[in-house]
């Protein structure tokens, strides 16, 4: 169950970024590309986390907790200037930028030996649903800057990091 919660927290930023885009064409392709990246990058992160858990077997819970907490703090302190959207980057670059955080988070989950398959499929499914919601109904969601969602996701990751340190 923790894996599904974590997947939903890590894919929240998809709604924020994509609801600000104004695309007419290629929305489904972008959603599928984000879904693919949100499944491949966590798999690579889990492999890296498993490897580093074996390497740092004594410290893996503490290290993964610190990594999660730092990612949460980064999300809380992040300046939401939306430079990606102002420069009109190609949608695949935006998809990669939106999906990269799942790699670093899944490294921590790999170190904690969480259920890899459940997290990867939940992340892929939720990223597809969130991408389609944001791309097709973004103007109706009325998300102005997404700061509230970023703060909530950052606090959730910070709490998960602190709790995993004492696991």
């Amino acid at each position: 169950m923790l894996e599904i919660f974590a997947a939903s927290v890590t894919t929240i930023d998809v709604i924020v970024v994509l609801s600000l885009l104004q695309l007419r064409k290629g929305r489904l392709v972008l959603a599928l590309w984000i879904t693919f990246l949100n499944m491949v990058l966590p798999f690579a992160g889990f492999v890296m986390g498993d490897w580093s858990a074996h390497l740092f077997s004594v410290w893996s819970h503490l290290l993964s907790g610190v990594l999660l907490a730092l990612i949460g703090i980064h999300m809380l302190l992040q300046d939401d200037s939306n430079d990606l959207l102002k420069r009109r980057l190609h949608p695949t670059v935006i998809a990669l930028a939106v999906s990269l955080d799942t790699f670093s988070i899944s490294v921590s989950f790999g170190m904690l030996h969480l259920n890899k398959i459940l997290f990867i499929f939940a992340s892929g499914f939720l990223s597809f649903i969130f991408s389609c919601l944001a791309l097709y109904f973004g103007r109706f969601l009325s998300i102005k800057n997404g700061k509230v969602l970023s703060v909530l996701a950052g606090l959730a990751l910070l709490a998960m990091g602190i709790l995993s340190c004492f696991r």
Side-chain angles (χ1 to χ4, degrees):
M1 192 63 172
L2 177 64
E3 292 87 354
I4 295 172
F5 176 73
S8 65
V9 168
T10 58
T11 54
I12 282 282
D13 59 341
V14 170
I15 292 176
V16 174
V17 173
L18 295 182
S19 65
L20 298 174
L21 284 178
Q22 297 173 353
L23 294 176
R24 298 265 184 242
K25 297 185 227 174
R27 291 184 280 190
L28 182 61
V29 172
L30 179 59
L32 290 172
W33 186 235
I34 289 172
T35 301
F36 173 74
L37 288 174
N38 272 321
M39 293 177 80
V40 169
L41 292 175
F43 177 75
F46 268 98
V47 169
M48 184 68 89
D50 282 339
W51 176 75
S52 53
H54 291 292
L55 187 63
F56 304 109
S57 63
V58 176
W59 301 97
S60 66
H61 288 294
L62 182 63
L63 185 59
S64 66
V66 168
L67 284 173
L68 274 176
L70 288 175
I71 293 168
I73 290 171
H74 172 66
M75 287 181 80
L76 289 172
L77 298 177
Q78 180 177 336
D79 181 23
D80 206 18
S81 61
N82 294 323
D83 288 335
L84 288 175
L85 303 176
K86 290 178 185 169
R87 285 188 268 157
R88 298 285 184 200
L89 294 176
H90 194 271
T92 55
V93 175
I94 294 171
L96 182 63
V98 167
S99 303
L100 272 176
D101 60 342
T102 58
F103 172 77
S104 56
I105 291 169
S106 61
V107 168
S108 298
F109 290 154
M111 293 172 74
L112 290 172
H113 302 292
L114 294 181
N115 188 341
K116 172 183 0 184
I117 302 299
L118 181 60
F119 178 78
I120 290 171
F121 282 119
S123 180
F125 177 74
L126 290 172
S127 66
F128 181 73
I129 296 298
F130 290 167
S131 296
C132 287
L133 273 174
L135 288 170
Y136 289 103
F137 305 109
R139 62 181 175 265
F140 302 117
L141 294 175
S142 70
I143 296 174
K144 299 299 182 216
N145 63 8
K147 187 66 177 165
V148 173
L149 289 175
S150 266
V151 168
L152 289 176
L155 287 173
L157 287 174
L158 180 62
M160 287 173 22
I162 291 170
L163 290 174
S164 70
C165 284
F166 299 109
R167 181 178 173 200

